[in-house]
Amino acid sequence: MLDIKYLAKEAKSLMRTALENYTEEYGLGAMSVAAYDTAWVSMVTKVIDGEKQWLFPESFQYLLSTQSDKTGSWENGSDSAQIDGILNTAGPLLALKRHLAEPLQLAHAHPHDLAERVERATVSLRRQLAVWDVSTTEHVGFEIIVPAILELLEKEDPSLVFEFGSKKLLMKIHDKKMARFRPEFLYGPRRFTALHSLESFIGKLDFDKVRHHKVNGSMLGSPSSTAAYLMHSSEWDEESEDYLRHVIRNAAGRGSGAVPSAFPSTHFEITWILSTLLRAGFTKDDLESPELTKMVDILSRSFETEKGVLGFAPFFEADVDDTAKTISTLNMLGRPVSPKSLVKLFEADTHFRTYAGERDPSATANCNALLALLQQPDVSAYSGQILKVTKFLVDFWWTSDGEIMDKWNTCYLYPSVLLVEALTDILHLIEQDKLPGVFDSELQSRLAVALFQACLRPLLDQSPDGSWNQSIEETAYGILILSEARRVCFFNDLRQPLDNAIKRGVTYIQSIHDRPPSYIWIEKVSYASPLLTDSYLLAALKAASSSSSSSTESTIGSSLWNKKNISTNRLDKYVKLFSQAELFAGHPEWELRGSMIEATLLKPLLVKRRLEVFQRKGMQEDKYFDLIPFFWTGPNNRARTFTSASFLYQVSLLSMLTYQVDEFMEAVAAPAYKDRLDELRKVVYEILPEEEDEERPDTGTGTSTNKQTGSAKPRPSGFLYGFLSNFISTSPDTNTNTNTTLTEDPEIITAPAETEVRQTLTNFKKYCLEHVLVQKASKADRNTLRRELRTYLLAQVQQESDSAALRSGNSNSSPKNKSFFHWARSTGADNVSGTFAWSFIACLLSATLTEGGEVFPTAAEKYVAADVARHLSTMARIYNDLGSIRRDEEEGALNSVDFEEFKVHEDVEGKKRALHDIGEYEHACLLLAFKRLEGLGRGDDVAAKRLRTRRLGIWRMFLDQVVLFDQIYVIKDLSSHHVVQGKSG
């Protein structure tokens, strides 16, 4: 690690660089240049000595020199956002058209060359618009700017009409925004963010009536907006011309004619530099210098003059980001200031607004607001706001699918840094009892899950070369996240991989000598800032050096990390077991450990709802909570699917409930309807009646009311139970009472038991069909779920009937006389809940990743998806039975090998081999069917394609989850055999 004195020296050097172009009138700014804004500046004309001239020919020359010969566009780089290429091409295209039509003093430019450039730019813009996914765009004012520039192009040349797949969505967002805003609003004294994009209101605005909003000649610090104002005001404004000349000369273009999307950005860049360095461990003494004094004076003066709320530069529209960062910076430097004005101006019902009229709330703005509140000497004075923002941020994380998005930075690691910092500070304050009674246990548990995932996922996502996305700034973000993780006790068992990852990240940063710009910050187009990049690099190096010196275990979060939930020995045992699964071959054990810790943090949320549907009277102690979530977190992290925390929670609940269904049907329902299983079937039909146009589901081999005989203990037959009961019951530290059995005492089975059965199954139906997300799913997906739920419950009844017939020895009704293929593909498969779970997950995905549309909209997709689900369930049943042959024989439960087809194999091992071969066949069919499903789809809508690809990724993770169950069944059968107490052995 680098010497701390060297890091302090570099930090001071950074501050000197930041102030190099600072002036009292204009401030400072280091944002990279943008072709879009440069194009607008190039279109400004002025009458000089009686002759109309292009005022900034150097800006047009810059556009000519930077147009791509290959693509005809102006782009920031290969990793830039789609909107960057669109605006950076549309703006210059308009400038080319206008210069071609009116050369003025630039008549020496070759008309044929300009015409050819126009053609290439037009082709490029059409191409970019055709593939634009509007639904993922977050850039400032894009919903106003893009329609406006396209309209101006069409007015300039009627042939320049652009139609594209996402245009309808774009205009929908545009119309929604404009319904809440009228250009006339700008005529009043209040400053709106629309002042930053006046070029979008040409022909709709009297520019003379917005003159009073100028600040040192600029329109909210936007060169393009200021250029539009100069072009369309009735009187020339020398102050605005001076502003543009200053920007050309002193901003990032350094006289080349290029300008950035915003200048100045004084408050923004000063507060981001200082707060980032101070958070990472730099002290006031480390940074003490004339530059620090100057920066603090600028912030203090502005904070006082502007009455506690600031914008990104002096006297610009105030926003919560720059205000919060200023408060945090001054507090960390020993200059405490109050957040009262911040709260008064920006607090909303559920979060903090970034600014008035905001379309969507910003997670990072709320993180910054929360961090500012947490810096206060008495945090309890703002406990209400702290609770509100924390709920908002936890909900934001829990509902975010995949990489989280924010409106100010395109890299998912940036909001993760701020989220991790804020949630870590919250946990720390909880441990110190400085927020007593503010957070209930459920919110604390959800917070813990969010914090752990926000740290673990970047750890898993690091590239082999030590970087994140081959970007030095993004790598700095990753290091800062992992350095925060080392403060949290959840990561004590992952300290070594954390240390190694941080070291690799530092090595990568030190290996890059020429620092390429990182176009990841969001304005009208994406931009880079060398000041921000360097501040994050220094912060990362400082944090890595500071935290590496501590070898003691972290305590933050210890109140939520209850060692009684899962002991170290038990955790080691689980990790050792799962590492044998083929699914995790080649994966380091620490990854499995991380997934197991994540599952453990989810556990309290499941326990809280364990009796919501099933009361579990007389049941075995439910020791399966440790492992149910892991069957989801493990495959999710292995494949880097990173589905939302909410999804993992919902499917873990689903797994818990299917386990409880198995328990309930075997231990309560079947005994309550002993010798009357047909009546139990009728109860299911009454609770879930068939639709008139549906055929009665095939529930398997026969519907006889075979008498249940024998003394075998009822055993849940779902694919959860076999492994979980087998493994957990033999775990050395479960403290399970081995004499506890599922009750089947006939003395307690009375008429009220039938009422309990009916009410419990009704409650289960309500949970499934009235679930808030299921209600948001498409009608087709809801109907499928209803059918599969009925089929699942009927299969539970049929399984008990078949097992009873097997135990009775009644050859006439024995299921062994039926076709194994027919049974395996119907009752056998339905009994393990695979197709039911598939249908429930389809509803979740319809609600969250299809906007309420059908997950599989075409006939072909529906057919193949149903085939996938059938192969999945059949495979699960076969491997379930493969791992429980001996146990099923002892308990008198029907197993696949009991069918006549297996009589040809004389010994158990031969039957196992045959069943294993069938399981492998079903697995192969499953993979083939899923591959075909991936190849289906329709339409050219880019957003729909993206969502479909994402849904398929989650489906594949679900397949892995089932495969993992199957693999563990086989492993446990080979390694140990559990004899049920009271039966044999």
Side-chain angles (χ1 to χ4, degrees):
M1 296 298 174
L2 292 176
D3 181 78
I4 57 175
K5 292 183 179 179
Y6 171 79
L7 293 177
K9 179 181 177 182
E10 289 295 299
K12 292 177 183 178
S13 176
L14 172 62
M15 291 189 293
R16 282 195 298 274
T17 301
L19 291 172
E20 279 179 353
N21 72 340
Y22 175 79
T23 66
E24 290 295 333
E25 181 179 6
Y26 292 113
L28 62 86
M31 293 185 183
S32 59
V33 299
Y36 173 78
D37 287 83
T38 302
W40 277 103
V41 173
S42 78
M43 289 185 281
V44 177
T45 61
K46 182 181 183 182
V47 176
I48 301 175
D49 297 330
E51 182 181 350
K52 182 180 180 183
Q53 296 185 10
W54 296 113
L55 187 58
F56 302 108
E58 65 270 39
S59 295
F60 186 64
Q61 186 58 46
Y62 175 84
L63 297 178
L64 296 179
S65 65
T66 53
Q67 184 179 17
S68 170
D69 292 333
K70 182 178 180 180
T71 66
S73 65
W74 291 258
E75 297 173 357
N76 287 335
S78 59
D79 294 329
S80 61
Q82 289 178 308
I83 189 66
D84 297 342
I86 290 169
L87 285 181
N88 282 333
T89 302
L93 175 57
L94 183 62
L96 286 171
K97 290 291 293 184
R98 290 188 176 178
H99 279 74
L100 180 60
E102 193 175 15
L104 299 181
Q105 82 271 29
L106 302 182
H108 61 277
H110 201 294
H112 177 75
D113 176 60
L114 290 187
E116 191 271 338
R117 288 175 178 273
V118 166
E119 179 61 26
R120 287 194 289 122
T122 301
V123 171
S124 175
L125 183 56
R126 292 193 190 281
R127 174 183 55 80
Q128 293 179 69
L129 288 170
V131 297
W132 183 23
D133 187 352
V134 170
S135 66
T136 63
T137 304
E138 293 285 349
H139 285 55
V140 176
F142 80 92
E143 70 275 23
I144 304 298
I145 299 171
V146 176
I149 192 72
L150 295 182
E151 182 180 349
L152 288 172
L153 284 168
E154 185 176 352
K155 287 181 178 179
E156 193 71 28
D157 182 347
S159 70
L160 294 180
V161 177
F162 296 89
E163 299 295 338
F164 48 97
S166 292
K167 190 172 184 177
K168 183 177 180 180
L169 176 59
L170 172 65
M171 296 313 298
K172 179 180 178 181
I173 300 172
H174 169 273
D175 294 345
K176 183 178 179 181
K177 181 66 174 281
M178 293 306 295
R180 296 184 289 116
F181 175 80
R182 295 198 305 273
E184 295 79 24
F185 290 171
L186 300 176
Y187 299 159
R190 180 179 170 186
R191 290 195 176 104
F192 290 87
T193 53
L195 289 167
H196 196 66
S197 305
L198 291 179
E199 73 274 15
S200 300
F201 301 102
I202 294 172
K204 304 167 186 174
L205 184 74
D206 185 342
F207 280 81
D208 290 339
K209 293 183 179 181
V210 297
R211 182 184 297 266
H212 59 289
H213 287 307
K214 287 186 306 170
V215 177
N216 295 324
S218 83
M219 286 297 176
L220 203 55
S222 167
S224 56
S225 185
T226 306
Y229 162 72
L230 261 182
M231 294 161 63
H232 294 279
S233 58
S234 61
E235 295 182 9
W236 189 256
D237 195 311
E238 296 290 345
E239 187 184 31
S240 292
E241 178 183 343
D242 290 343
Y243 162 76
L244 290 177
R245 291 197 182 279
H246 179 85
V247 175
I248 290 173
R249 185 170 57 252
N250 294 285
R254 291 294 193 269
S256 66
V259 298
S261 287
F263 184 95
S265 49
T266 310
H267 295 156
F268 167 62
E269 302 210 51
I270 288 178
T271 57
W272 254 254
I273 290 170
L274 293 181
S275 63
T276 300
L277 295 176
L278 292 166
R279 174 77 195 197
F282 286 96
T283 65
K284 181 180 178 182
D285 290 340
D286 292 333
L287 305 179
E288 195 62 61
S289 61
E291 289 75 24
L292 177 63
T293 302
K294 180 65 176 178
M295 289 182 169
V296 172
D297 286 346
I298 292 171
L299 297 180
S300 297
R301 183 170 65 249
S302 292
F303 193 82
E304 181 178 354
T305 303
E306 300 183 48
K307 299 180 181 179
V309 287
L310 290 77
F312 64 88
F315 302 105
F316 289 173
E317 184 192 13
D319 64 77
V320 77
D321 254 337
D322 291 289
T323 301
K325 281 289 193 180
T326 299
I327 293 171
S328 293
T329 299
L330 293 176
N331 275 276
M332 286 189 282
L333 289 170
R335 301 277 290 269
V337 292
S338 171
K340 288 183 179 179
S341 295
L342 177 146
V343 172
K344 182 179 180 180
L345 185 60
F346 299 112
E347 185 178 11
D349 292 340
T350 61
H351 61 281
F352 275 72
R353 293 182 294 265
T354 309
Y355 47 77
E358 182 178 39
R359 180 167 59 92
D360 296 307
S362 162
T364 58
N366 278 271
C367 284
N368 286 325
L370 179 57
L371 287 165
L373 296 176
L374 298 178
Q375 287 283 344
Q376 298 306 301
D378 181 13
V379 292
S380 63
Y382 296 96
S383 60
Q385 290 81 14
I386 290 171
L387 175 62
K388 175 186 297 187
V389 180
T390 302
K391 283 183 176 178
F392 170 81
L393 291 173
V394 170
D395 287 344
F396 164 77
W397 177 269
W398 268 66
T399 56
S400 293
D401 178 70
E403 296 181 351
I404 59 176
M405 300 283 290
D406 189 66
K407 63 171 63 178
W408 303 118
N409 193 299
T410 60
C411 174
Y412 81 96
L413 293 170
Y414 173 70
S416 296
V417 170
L418 295 175
L419 182 73
V420 167
E421 290 175 353
L423 297 187
T424 300
D425 286 357
I426 288 288
L427 281 187
H428 194 199
L429 290 169
I430 290 174
E431 302 294 337
Q432 295 175 320
D433 200 30
K434 291 186 177 180
L435 290 168
V438 175
F439 299 96
D440 61 30
S441 60
E442 181 174 353
L443 181 57
Q444 289 186 50
S445 292
R446 295 176 69 236
L447 185 156
V449 171
L451 175 57
F452 186 80
Q453 290 178 338
C455 295
L456 178 65
R457 292 178 180 184
L459 178 62
L460 295 170
D461 214 21
Q462 187 179 28
S463 299
D465 64 1
S467 76
W468 279 266
N469 199 31
Q470 283 70 55
S471 162
I472 53 174
E473 185 168 336
E474 294 179 53
T475 299
Y477 297 158
I479 293 172
L480 289 172
I481 292 169
L482 301 189
S483 296
E484 287 286 338
R486 293 200 285 199
R487 301 177 56 209
V488 182
C489 71
F490 311 150
F491 286 91
N492 284 337
D493 288 331
L494 297 175
R495 184 59 187 263
Q496 191 60 49
L498 279 177
D499 289 343
N500 292 339
I502 291 171
K503 289 178 182 177
R504 291 199 308 273
V506 169
T507 300
Y508 175 82
I509 287 176
Q510 293 174 330
S511 71
I512 305 298
H513 302 293
D514 295 326
R515 296 177 181 174
S518 297
Y519 294 98
I520 56 179
W521 291 89
I522 295 176
E523 233 286 340
K524 292 178 183 177
V525 296
S526 303
Y527 68 92
S529 169
L531 296 181
L532 297 185
T533 298
D534 287 350
S535 65
Y536 280 105
L537 292 182
L538 288 172
L541 296 175
K542 178 66 174 179
S545 299
S546 300
S547 55
S548 65
S549 61
S550 175
S551 59
T552 59
E553 286 197 346
S554 302
T555 59
I556 294 177
S558 57
S559 63
L560 297 176
W561 185 245
N562 187 347
K563 287 294 184 181
K564 293 181 181 179
N565 287 338
I566 180 169
S567 69
T568 300
N569 289 339
R570 196 157 154 204
L571 180 63
D572 291 340
K573 184 179 180 68
Y574 291 162
V575 170
K576 183 177 180 180
L577 169 72
F578 283 99
S579 65
Q580 300 175 58
E582 184 180 346
L583 189 70
F584 293 116
H587 284 256
E589 284 196 359
W590 69 260
E591 289 192 13
L592 275 69
R593 186 176 298 274
S595 297
M596 190 64 70
I597 294 170
E598 182 181 345
T600 302
L601 292 172
L602 280 164
K603 172 183 173 180
L605 295 165
L606 299 184
V607 172
K608 186 179 179 66
R609 299 185 65 178
R610 59 187 287 271
L611 302 180
E612 187 174 288
V613 177
F614 297 94
Q615 294 301 306
R616 305 195 72 258
K617 296 176 182 178
M619 304 288 184
Q620 286 180 319
E621 185 178 359
D622 43 357
K623 291 287 187 179
Y624 41 82
F625 283 101
D626 289 342
L627 294 177
I628 283 179
F630 176 81
F631 278 98
W632 294 100
T633 61
N636 184 52
N637 290 328
R638 170 195 170 272
R640 309 300 193 257
T641 306
F642 299 152
T643 188
S644 70
S646 176
F647 180 86
L648 292 173
Y649 171 61
Q650 295 296 342
V651 292
S652 294
L653 275 177
L654 180 66
S655 296
M656 177 191 76
L657 288 170
T658 55
Y659 179 91
Q660 292 179 337
V661 167
D662 292 344
E663 286 183 321
F664 179 80
M665 295 297 286
E666 295 288 349
V668 178
Y673 285 87
K674 187 176 182 179
D675 302 331
R676 298 178 294 121
L677 289 178
D678 268 349
E679 292 184 30
L680 182 55
R681 289 189 183 90
K682 291 179 181 178
V683 170
V684 174
Y685 279 115
E686 289 169 3
I687 294 172
L688 289 160
E690 290 182 302
E691 303 296 336
E692 292 182 1
D693 58 347
E694 292 179 339
E695 293 184 4
R696 194 178 191 86
D698 184 351
T699 59
T701 54
T703 57
S704 63
T705 56
N706 296 309
K707 184 175 180 180
Q708 181 177 336
T709 59
S711 58
K713 176 180 70 68
R715 178 185 66 84
S717 54
F719 65 84
L720 272 172
Y721 183 84
F723 163 66
L724 293 176
S725 61
N726 187 14
F727 179 61
I728 295 174
S729 296
T730 59
S731 297
D733 60 344
T734 57
N735 298 319
T736 301
N737 181 353
T738 55
N739 293 317
T740 300
T741 60
L742 300 179
T743 180
E744 55 175 308
D745 186 350
E747 295 297 321
I748 67 171
I749 303 300
T750 61
E754 297 180 13
T755 302
E756 178 189 353
V757 170
R758 181 181 294 271
Q759 185 60 54
T760 301
L761 292 181
T762 299
N763 290 341
F764 182 55
K765 180 202 77 169
K766 287 182 177 180
Y767 173 87
C768 295
L769 302 185
E770 297 178 15
H771 189 286
V772 63
L773 291 177
V774 171
Q775 289 294 303
K776 294 179 181 179
S778 71
K779 182 178 180 181
D781 288 312
R782 294 198 309 272
N783 287 340
T784 300
L785 173 61
R786 181 184 179 88
R787 289 195 300 270
E788 292 299 341
L789 173 59
R790 180 175 55 246
T791 300
Y792 169 48
L793 294 178
L794 290 172
Q796 292 283 325
V797 179
Q798 188 63 40
Q799 172 73 21
E800 178 56 32
S801 176
D802 289 343
S803 294
L806 177 69
R807 291 191 293 270
S808 71
N810 187 338
S811 60
N812 293 327
S813 61
S814 174
K816 295 194 297 183
N817 298 326
K818 309 299 181 181
S819 161
F820 170 65
F821 174 84
H822 182 264
W823 174 86
R825 290 284 181 91
S826 56
T827 302
D830 293 329
N831 178 246
V832 296
S833 76
T835 49
F836 159 65
W838 177 278
S839 301
F840 190 90
I841 291 172
C843 286
L844 297 183
L845 295 182
S846 171
T848 59
L849 288 176
T850 322
E851 298 181 341
E854 293 185 38
V855 173
F856 301 109
T858 68
E861 287 176 285
K862 285 182 173 66
Y863 187 91
V864 177
D867 191 46
V868 170
R870 183 55 51 183
H871 286 301
L872 182 77
S873 299
T874 306
M875 178 190 71
R877 179 57 194 245
I878 287 172
Y879 280 107
N880 180 328
D881 286 1
L882 180 64
S884 57
I885 292 176
R886 190 178 304 176
R887 185 179 66 246
D888 286 342
E889 182 181 5
E890 292 168 350
E891 297 180 3
L894 178 65
N895 189 285
S896 294
V897 298
D898 292 326
F899 284 82
E900 290 297 313
E901 288 88 337
F902 290 88
K903 277 191 173 182
V904 67
H905 306 284
E906 296 182 357
D907 57 13
V908 172
E909 291 305 314
K911 293 179 179 181
K912 281 185 177 181
R913 285 193 295 271
L915 191 58
H916 181 270
D917 288 343
I918 296 172
E920 289 296 289
Y921 169 79
E922 288 293 339
H923 185 224
C925 291
L926 169 66
L927 296 179
L928 181 63
F930 191 77
K931 184 176 181 180
R932 178 62 64 90
L933 182 62
E934 289 179 312
L936 298 175
R938 66 179 184 182
D940 297 322
D941 183 86
V942 290
K945 287 182 178 179
R946 174 181 56 81
L947 289 174
R948 186 178 188 278
T949 299
R950 178 58 181 165
R951 293 194 300 270
L952 286 170
I954 295 174
W955 283 124
R956 182 170 288 280
M957 185 268 288
F958 174 46
L959 266 57
D960 287 344
Q961 185 257 2
V962 177
V963 168
L964 178 60
F965 265 112
D966 297 343
Q967 293 175 356
I968 294 299
Y969 265 121
V970 175
I971 291 170
K972 284 306 297 177
D973 184 57
L974 294 174
S975 60
S976 67
H977 173 61
H978 170 55
V979 178
V980 178
Q981 292 293 324
K983 290 297 156 196
S984 61

